[in-house]
Amino acid sequence: MSDPAVVLDDLRTESEELDRIVADLDAEQWATSTPAAGWDIAHQIAHLAWTDEVALLAGTDPGAFAKHVEEALSEPDTFVDRAADAGAVQPPAELLARWREGRERLEQALRTAPPGSRFPWYGPPMSAASMATARLMETWAHGQDIADAVGVVREPTARLRHIAHIGVRARDYAYFVRGIEPPQQAFRVELIGPGGELWTYGPDDASQKVTGPALDFCLLVTQRANRADLAVQADGEEADRWLDIAQAFAGPAGQGRTPKEA
C-alpha cells in the first residue's frame, strides 16, 4: 500500500510552487487567457479550488457527494466549466484564499483518514494516497497551463513520477471513455526521469512499448501538449493508438491540444 504521507508532502510542495506563481499577479493578469480554451488564470485556480472542495465532500459526506455525482451526470459536458465560470468571477484575493483554505482542509482530511479508507469518486473509489496523487496530477497539469500563460518555465521534478503512474494506470479508462475495448495485453512503458533515472512499468517482454522523457509523457497524458510536439515513442500498433487517446484524468474524453506551429 502506498504511503499517503509521501504523496501528500509532494502535493503540498506542488501546490506551494503554483501558489508562488499566482500570488503576486494583479487582477488584469488573473484574467490572462491560458492554453485551455475559454479559461483564464482565474478559471484554472477556481477549478482547482472547486475540485479540492468536491474531494473533501467525498471524504466527509459520501451521501452529499453521491447527489453531486448525479448532478454531474445530468450535464457531463458542462458541469466542470460551469463551476470554473462561477469561481472565476470571485475577486482574485478571495479566490486565492479559497484555494488555500480548501487544499489545506483536504490535506488534513487525507492525512487523518483511517488506514484502508476508500473515498468515492467519479470512477472507482480511491484510497487516500490515490486521491492525493490525483490532486497532485491536476495541480501540476493546471499549473502548466498557468505557467505557459505567464511565460514561466518550470523545472521538472521527481514528483512527475506520481503523474506518470496515473497515466499508465489510466490506460484502459482512455479506451473505455471513447467506447473502445481496451487491449488485453499489458504494455511496457519506459520513461527517463528528470535526473536521468529510468522509470519502468509493465513486463519487459511486452510486444507493445512506449518510451520517452517522463516530462513529455506527463504532458501527453494530461493533454497539455500535442503528441506531435513530444518525444514519446510507441513500438507497436496498439501502443501507438493509446498515445493518441491517452488521458490521466477522469471525465469525458479530452480534446487535447493542437500542435505548435512549425
Side-chain angles (χ1 to χ4, degrees), residues 164-233:
H165 174 75
I166 291 184
V168 173
R169 289 286 301 273
R171 187 202 72 171
D172 287 2
Y173 178 80
Y175 284 87
F176 284 132
V177 78
R178 289 165 175 80
I180 305 171
E181 185 69 23
Q184 295 297 313
Q185 71 269 40
F187 293 177
R188 175 71 169 183
V189 179
E190 297 181 355
L191 305 175
I192 305 300
E197 66 278 20
L198 181 65
W199 301 345
T200 62
Y201 310 85
D204 56 13
D205 61 348
S207 63
Q208 305 292 312
K209 187 175 182 179
V210 169
T211 58
L215 173 60
D216 286 20
F217 180 78
C218 292
L219 289 168
L220 179 74
V221 298
T222 57
Q223 296 189 0
R224 259 51 195 181
N226 189 277
R227 180 182 175 186
D229 299 318
L230 301 171
V232 182
Q233 302 295 323

Side-chain angles (χ1 to χ4, degrees), residues 31 56 65 78 93 108 111 132 144 149 159 195 200 243 254 261:
L56 181 63
F65 177 75
T78 60
Q108 292 307 310
R111 285 191 186 277
Q144 185 63 48
R159 295 191 298 276
T200 62
L243 293 188
E261 295 182 5

Side-chain angles (χ1 to χ4, degrees), residues 112 162 198 262:
T112 58
H162 301 299
L198 181 65

Side-chain angles (χ1 to χ4, degrees), residues 141-164:
H142 291 283
Q144 185 63 48
D145 284 343
I146 292 171
D148 288 342
V150 298
V152 171
V153 178
R154 304 189 299 174
E155 288 296 322
T157 73
R159 295 191 298 276
L160 291 176
R161 190 157 195 164
H162 301 299
I163 302 161

